[in-house]
């Protein structure tokens, strides 16, 4: 019990060694396997991942040899977490599925309540680990299902400390989805449950760490700094390297937010050095992004770019085609094996229940056999045809799933490349002196962002060939508002957008046209102190779409010829308008009104 509750503590190792010496005399393989598990957990929580893996392999070998099912499952769960942290997500998933099969195969009939409770606890831990895995690879729907399943079981068992840990992990999921208020509320509830369940000190420190991050995203920087320092002090006192490397990076983000860039760099360098030393990929990724932003803020652009490249390289490694392909193959193989295993278990159970009636069944089976042979010859051709069709349908279905995954991966890579180009343009613009050049550079960045948004929407959604206009255009407008410094408190904005699912070939040119028209309005038409801006987008007929934009500026000469204009933006509008078979009209009405009717488009 002491080892289980205090395994995070630096004073735990002598206790484990003492247990090892005691068991070495008894030669009890079950206890010996548990001792190796304690060793593995100790080294894991102190970020000595290779030592942890070595000890867990010993525990696993003994458990497998002597058919110690709970120890077999437990060793695989912790090993899966180690593989996940090292970036080998396919091996992690395979180990979790093996653990699930082992726990499901345990016969609970006739065992003690304490043994049943131990099995249930392991299933809770397994479901939580499954959820963490899917959370890391951004499959948030699956992650949420596993978190809820683990939390409900833990809460029903009054295992409040475990329930608090699971709730904390779900808070991290909400945090990644940028639902920061919900995440903060979840983290606070998690801390209450941990305290109620007498959770170890490191678990409370982790709660303070999560609360600090949520406060940071909500702009409550002083409170965030205080909460993170509480966590940091505990990790420092107990020499917990994993917590230290994470908190260094998070403190770096707080200092960046309050403008102390030197402290931000100092903390993020410490985080990155520890993460590289310990081989923790996900912390290296976060620390590299923190350093990129901080170096850029103080004008050290080469270091900023080097760290940003390292960040994108690590991030892409978690989503490369090979990993996605392996995960898909493992899940399909596991599902097949699981069905076969369940069928075998059902057959065994049925055989045990019906031993007394076997003799009667033999006669029935013989009769059915002769009857089946008769039916077989009648239906042979029909069955053969149906089987061929079924195989073809399964092949087509699997091919579609793989293609959809590859499409998403492609859009993800394109989005990342566009972001790198935008970052390079942003760095280059800082060296420009004249305003005209800076304006041209900003226009180029906004055009790139309009295309990057489309690829981002495509890889984040289930539909890989269609764009929802409401979400995309609202994000585009918000991006331009930030780019041109429009104060929405001083500018009256009225926006109405129909939610239409457009194909990519329509969405890209339409997005670029909107980017140009809105940019012109923000730069030349909208009064920054008492301005108005209106935008409407809707389908007015089966054969046409309508885009209407109005501002309260001075307008311009309506006699100009769009086709002969020397402005690059107007030429771009004209060229893309031809692709969409669009018609334009420009009117003066207390400002400039632009109406665009689109006749060539595709709705999915």
């Amino acid at each position: 019990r002491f080892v289980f509750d205090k395994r995070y503590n630096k004073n735990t190792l002598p206790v484990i060694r003492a247990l090892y010496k005691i068991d070495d005399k008894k030669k009890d393989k079950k206890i010996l396997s548990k001792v190796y598990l304690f060793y593995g957990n100790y080294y894991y929580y102190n970020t000595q991942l290779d030592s942890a893996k070595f000890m867990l392999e010993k525990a696993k070998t003994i458990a497998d040899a002597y058919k110690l099912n709970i120890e077999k499952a437990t060793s695989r769960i912790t090993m899966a977490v180690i593989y996940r942290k090292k970036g080998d997500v396919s091996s992690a998933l395979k180990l979790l599925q093996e653990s699930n099969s082992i726990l499901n195969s345990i016969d609970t009939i006739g065992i003690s309540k304490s043994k049943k409770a131990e099995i249930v606890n392991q299933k809770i831990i397994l479901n939580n680990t499954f959820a963490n895995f899917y959370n890391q690879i951004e499959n948030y729907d699956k992650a949420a299902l596993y978190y809820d399943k683990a939390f409900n079981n833990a809460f029903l068992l009054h295992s409040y400390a475990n329930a608090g840990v699971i709730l904390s992990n779900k808070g991290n999921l909400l945090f990644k989805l940028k639902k920061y208020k919900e995440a903060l509320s979840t983290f606070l509830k998690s801390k209450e449950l941990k305290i109620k369940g007498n959770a170890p000190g490191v678990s409370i420190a982790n709660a303070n760490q999560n609360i600090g991050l949520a406060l940071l995203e909500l702009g409550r920087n002083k409170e965030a700094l205080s909460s993170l320092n509480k966590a940091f002090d505990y990790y420092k006192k107990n020499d917990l390297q994993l917590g230290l490397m994470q908190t260094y990076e998070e403190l770096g983000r707080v200092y960046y937010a309050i403008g102390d860039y030197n402290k931000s760099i100092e903390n993020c360098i410490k985080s990155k050095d520890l993460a590289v030393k310990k081989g923790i990929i996900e912390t290296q990724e976060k620390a590299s992004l923190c350093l990129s932003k901080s170096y850029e803020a103080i004008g050290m652009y080469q270091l900023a770019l080097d760290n940003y490249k390292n960040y994108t390289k690590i991030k892409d490694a978690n989503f490369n085609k090979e990993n996605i392909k392996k995960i898909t193959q493992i899940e399909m193989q596991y599902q097949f094996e699981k069905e076969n295993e369940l069928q075998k278990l059902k057959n065994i159970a049925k055989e045990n229940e019906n031993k007394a009636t076997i003799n009667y069944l033999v006669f029935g089976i013989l009769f059915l056999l002769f009857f089946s042979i008769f039916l077989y010859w009648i239906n042979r051709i029909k069955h053969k045809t149906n089987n061929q069709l079924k195989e073809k349908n399964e092949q087509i279905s699997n091919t579609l799933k793989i293609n959809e995954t590859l499409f998403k991966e492609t859009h993800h890579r394109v989005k990342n490349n566009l972001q790198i180009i935008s970052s390079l343009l942003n760095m280059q613009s800082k060296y420009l002196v004249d305003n005209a050049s800076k304006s041209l550079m900003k226009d180029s960045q906004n055009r790139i962002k309009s295309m990057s948004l489309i690829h981002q929407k495509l890889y984040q959604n289930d539909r890989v060939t269609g764009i929802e206009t409401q979400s995309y255009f609202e994000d585009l407008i918000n991006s331009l508002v930030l780019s041109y410094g429009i104060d929405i408190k001083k500018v009256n904005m009225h926006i109405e957008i129909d939610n239409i699912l457009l194909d990519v070939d329509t969405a890209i040119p339409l997005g670029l046209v909107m980017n140009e028209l809105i940019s012109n309005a923000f730069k030349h038409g909208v009064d920054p102190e008492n301005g108005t801006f209106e935008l409407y987008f809707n389908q007015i007929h089966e054969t046409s779409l309508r885009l209407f934009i109005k501002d309260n500026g001075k307008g311009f000469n309506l006699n100009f010829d769009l086709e002969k204009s020397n402005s690059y933006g107007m030429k771009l509008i004209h060229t893309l308008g031809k692709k969409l078979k669009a018609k334009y009209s420009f009117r003066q009405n207390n400002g400039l009104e632009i109406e665009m009717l689109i006749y060539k488009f595709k709705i999915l």
Side-chain angles (χ1 to χ4, degrees):
R1 180 66 179 173
F2 174 82
V3 174
F4 180 80
D5 286 341
K6 305 294 182 182
R7 62 188 174 190
Y8 316 97
N9 193 288
K10 60 185 178 182
N11 298 320
T12 303
L13 195 55
V15 180
I16 301 175
R17 286 172 179 161
L19 287 172
Y20 177 78
K21 288 179 181 178
I22 293 169
D23 183 70
D24 190 46
K25 296 177 182 177
K26 294 182 178 179
K27 302 297 182 183
D28 187 321
K29 297 302 180 183
K30 185 172 183 179
I31 295 178
L32 187 60
S33 177
K34 284 185 178 292
V35 170
Y36 282 128
L37 283 173
F38 292 148
Y39 267 121
N41 283 328
Y42 170 81
Y43 287 125
Y44 167 72
Y45 285 108
N46 287 274
T47 63
Q48 299 178 44
L49 299 187
D50 291 333
S51 297
K53 184 173 178 292
F54 176 78
M55 290 298 181
L56 291 167
E57 286 285 4
K58 281 181 170 288
K60 176 175 172 289
T61 300
I62 294 171
D64 288 353
Y66 291 90
K67 298 181 180 179
L68 306 172
N69 286 325
I70 293 178
E71 288 73 17
K72 285 167 65 176
T74 305
S75 60
R76 283 165 169 82
I77 292 171
T78 310
M79 285 175 67
V81 177
I82 293 172
Y83 277 113
R84 180 172 64 83
K85 286 192 174 292
K86 284 179 169 288
D88 189 351
V89 290
S90 58
S91 295
L93 178 59
K94 188 174 182 180
L95 283 166
L96 290 176
Q97 290 169 342
E98 287 178 10
S99 178
N100 192 38
S101 296
I102 292 166
L103 290 174
N104 286 334
S105 69
I106 299 174
D107 186 0
T108 58
I109 298 174
I111 68 173
S112 65
K113 287 184 178 180
S114 60
K115 199 74 174 177
K116 285 182 180 179
E118 190 177 0
I119 294 169
V120 172
N121 278 326
Q122 284 304 317
K123 287 185 176 181
I124 290 170
I125 294 169
L126 175 63
N127 286 327
N128 182 59
T129 311
F130 260 124
N132 288 339
F133 169 82
Y134 285 112
N135 191 359
Q136 180 180 337
I137 65 170
E138 298 183 4
N139 189 338
Y140 299 128
D141 290 337
K142 273 192 176 182
L145 286 173
Y146 277 105
Y147 281 138
D148 289 342
K149 187 175 181 180
F151 175 79
N152 290 336
N153 288 333
F155 199 82
L156 287 172
L157 289 176
H158 303 295
S159 181
Y160 297 118
N162 281 339
V165 171
I166 296 161
L167 202 59
S168 175
N169 291 335
K170 187 173 183 181
N172 288 328
L173 185 150
L174 293 168
F175 187 92
K176 289 174 75 172
L177 294 173
K178 298 183 179 180
K179 298 179 179 180
Y180 301 122
K181 287 185 178 179
E182 293 179 48
L184 177 59
S185 176
T186 303
F187 289 145
L188 290 169
K189 180 64 176 176
S190 165
K191 185 177 178 180
E192 289 178 13
L193 287 171
K194 288 178 179 181
I195 294 171
K196 184 176 181 179
N198 295 318
V202 69
S203 190
I204 306 300
N206 178 255
N208 288 326
Q209 187 180 352
N210 288 330
I211 290 167
L213 288 176
L215 289 168
L216 171 62
E217 293 298 336
L218 292 170
R220 295 159 64 177
N221 297 330
K222 289 185 178 180
E223 296 173 77
L225 190 60
S226 174
S227 189
L228 286 171
N229 276 326
K230 288 179 185 177
F232 178 83
D233 290 342
Y234 182 89
Y235 297 143
K236 187 75 173 176
K237 180 180 178 181
N238 292 278
D239 193 29
L240 297 175
Q241 300 289 301
L242 180 62
L244 281 174
M245 77 174 68
Q246 291 173 343
T247 315
Y248 272 130
E249 184 273 331
E250 290 153 2
L251 286 170
R253 274 190 272 163
V254 176
Y255 285 121
Y256 176 84
I258 63 180
D260 194 341
Y261 304 121
N262 290 326
K263 278 194 176 181
S264 176
I265 291 169
E266 178 186 342
N267 279 277
C268 287
I269 286 175
K270 289 179 180 178
S271 173
K272 186 177 179 182
D273 289 346
L274 272 175
V276 171
K277 181 180 178 182
K278 299 295 184 180
I280 307 299
I281 298 298
E282 54 188 328
T283 306
Q284 291 179 44
E285 175 190 333
K286 293 177 181 177
S288 296
L289 180 60
C290 169
L291 286 170
S292 175
K293 291 181 178 179
S294 298
Y295 278 127
E296 183 181 2
I298 62 173
M300 299 180 73
Y301 300 118
Q302 186 58 50
L303 286 172
L305 182 58
D306 291 343
N307 277 280
Y308 189 79
K309 286 180 178 178
N310 191 50
Y311 159 72
T312 56
K313 179 181 177 181
I314 295 170
K315 187 172 180 64
D316 284 346
N318 288 328
F319 293 92
N320 61 45
K321 295 178 183 177
E322 196 61 32
N323 264 341
I324 293 171
K325 183 178 178 181
K326 285 181 181 178
I327 291 170
T328 304
Q329 289 173 341
I330 291 168
E331 285 185 326
M332 291 172 64
Q333 181 65 26
Y334 172 70
Q335 191 61 34
F336 175 76
E337 291 174 354
K338 183 179 177 182
E339 289 175 0
N340 282 346
E341 183 179 359
L342 287 173
Q343 188 60 47
K344 288 178 182 178
L345 290 172
K346 288 178 182 178
N347 290 339
I348 291 170
K350 187 175 181 180
E351 182 180 351
N352 290 335
E353 292 171 1
N354 295 286
K355 283 182 179 179
T357 58
I358 287 178
N359 291 331
Y360 296 101
L361 289 174
V362 169
F363 291 107
I365 290 170
L366 288 173
F367 173 78
L368 290 173
L369 180 62
F370 286 114
F371 187 72
S372 298
I373 292 171
F374 174 72
L375 291 176
Y376 170 78
W377 290 106
I378 296 174
N379 297 300
R380 182 178 179 182
I381 296 175
K382 180 181 178 181
H383 286 168
K384 185 177 180 180
T385 303
N386 288 341
N387 287 335
Q388 288 175 343
L389 287 173
K390 184 179 180 181
E391 290 176 1
K392 290 292 182 183
N393 288 335
E394 288 177 351
Q395 289 175 1
I396 292 169
S397 177
N398 291 335
T399 301
L400 288 173
K401 288 179 181 177
I402 293 171
N403 286 341
E404 182 176 337
T405 301
L406 293 176
F407 268 121
K408 287 190 175 183
E409 172 61 17
T410 301
H411 289 302
H412 184 207
R413 292 297 182 88
V414 171
K415 187 270 294 184
N416 281 345
N417 289 335
L418 289 172
Q419 283 186 336
I420 290 174
I421 293 170
S422 179
S423 296
L424 290 171
L425 290 176
N426 184 45
M427 289 182 182
Q428 187 63 41
S429 68
K430 295 182 185 296
Y431 292 96
L432 299 176
V433 177
D434 63 299
N435 292 330
S437 299
K438 288 184 177 180
S439 178
L440 288 173
M441 195 70 74
K442 181 184 283 188
D443 289 345
S444 297
Q445 283 182 270
N446 288 333
R447 289 167 186 142
I448 290 170
K449 285 180 182 176
S450 72
M451 292 184 289
S452 176
L453 273 173
I454 287 180
H455 293 286
Q456 179 177 324
K457 296 291 182 186
L458 288 171
Y459 87 78
Q460 286 180 341
N461 295 327
D462 291 334
R463 303 183 183 93
V464 295
T465 58
I467 295 293
E468 292 182 348
T469 55
Q470 192 173 64
S471 173
Y472 170 52
F473 291 159
E474 285 177 354
D475 285 352
L476 178 60
I477 293 167
N478 289 335
S479 174
L480 291 171
V481 165
L482 291 173
S483 179
Y484 291 102
I486 299 299
D487 189 345
I488 59 174
K489 294 180 181 178
K490 296 179 180 180
V491 175
N492 183 22
M493 303 185 74
H494 188 81
I495 297 167
E496 292 182 9
I497 301 170
D498 286 354
N499 196 18
I500 303 169
L501 187 63
L502 292 178
D503 78 313
V504 177
D505 290 337
T506 305
I508 289 178
L510 182 54
L512 286 168
V513 169
M514 285 187 69
N515 180 78
E516 296 302 319
L517 295 176
I518 297 169
S519 295
N520 284 337
F522 286 168
K523 286 194 294 184
H524 307 298
V526 175
D527 183 350
E529 294 300 322
N530 188 25
T532 61
F533 175 80
E534 298 178 27
L535 185 145
Y536 304 92
F537 177 80
N538 56 295
Q539 183 177 3
I540 57 175
H541 193 268
E542 290 183 355
T543 59
S544 61
L545 303 174
R546 175 179 179 265
L547 172 63
F548 177 86
I549 296 176
K550 174 178 172 57
D551 62 63
N552 67 333
K554 296 179 180 180
F556 57 89
N557 185 1
L558 297 180
N559 293 325
F560 84 103
D561 189 337
L562 179 64
E563 185 173 356
K564 296 179 181 179
S565 173
N566 292 324
S567 165
Y568 177 78
M570 290 299 176
K571 286 183 178 180
L572 185 61
I573 291 170
H574 174 68
T575 302
L576 295 172
K578 289 173 65 177
K579 179 179 177 62
L580 297 169
K581 291 188 178 179
K583 292 184 179 180
Y584 299 87
S585 62
F586 300 81
R587 297 185 293 272
Q588 294 281 12
N589 182 15
N590 294 324
L592 179 64
E593 290 182 352
I594 303 173
E595 186 178 55
M596 177 182 178
L597 296 178
I598 301 161
Y599 296 97
K600 184 178 180 181
F601 59 92
K602 183 178 180 181
I603 295 178
L604 301 179

